[in-house]
């Protein structure tokens, strides 16, 4: 996985969305990336599937899921930004 793509996702989550919001969805992250592609050159050039897979992998490594993943499709995942995983 590209370290630059990881940096772009973490930038969106911490600087643009902010951890004070508490919850963030994959769609919310992706919307910010696509709203200003010049800020996110790595992720904005990827296909939607690739971009969403990267967002999910990075967010799953860093944050706990807020919703019950057995009841929702992957595209509906929501992460709790107040619940960081210890391995991050």
């Amino acid at each position: 996985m590209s370290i630059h793509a990881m940096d772009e996702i973490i930038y969106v989550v911490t600087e643009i969305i902010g951890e004070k919001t508490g919850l963030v969805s994959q769609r919310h992250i992706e919307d910010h990336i696509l709203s200003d592609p010049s800020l996110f050159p790595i992720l904005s050039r990827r296909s939607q599937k690739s971009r969403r897979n990267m967002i999910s992998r990075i967010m799953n490594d860093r944050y706990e899921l807020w919703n019950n993943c057995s009841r929702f499709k992957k595209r509906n995942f929501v992460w709790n930004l107040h619940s960081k995983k210890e391995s991050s």
Side-chain angles (χ1 to χ4, degrees):
M1 179 180 326
S2 167
I3 190 74
H4 300 294
M6 184 183 300
D7 289 343
E8 289 180 8
I9 292 170
I10 300 306
Y11 177 79
V12 171
V13 171
T14 58
E15 299 297 324
I16 296 175
I17 297 171
E19 293 188 6
K20 63 184 175 294
T21 61
L23 301 174
V24 66
S25 67
Q26 181 185 63
R27 174 86 184 257
H28 195 185
I29 294 169
E30 186 177 34
D31 287 347
H32 280 288
I33 291 166
L34 296 177
S35 69
D36 194 352
S38 64
L39 283 178
F40 311 102
I42 305 297
L43 292 168
S44 63
R45 284 184 276 165
R46 293 190 173 270
S47 69
Q48 182 183 51
K49 182 177 181 175
S50 174
R51 184 173 41 251
R52 288 181 176 182
N53 283 338
M54 291 188 88
I55 291 169
S56 292
R57 284 192 313 217
I58 291 167
M59 293 301 290
N60 284 336
D61 285 345
R62 296 182 59 89
Y63 299 98
E64 298 289 337
L65 281 172
W66 174 75
N67 53 355
N68 181 351
C69 57
S70 64
R71 291 184 44 211
F72 296 95
K73 294 182 180 182
K74 288 183 180 181
R75 69 176 177 266
N76 296 328
F77 282 176
V78 175
W79 293 275
N80 183 350
L81 299 180
H82 296 299
S83 184
K84 282 190 176 182
K85 290 187 174 178
E86 294 299 320
S87 62
S88 60

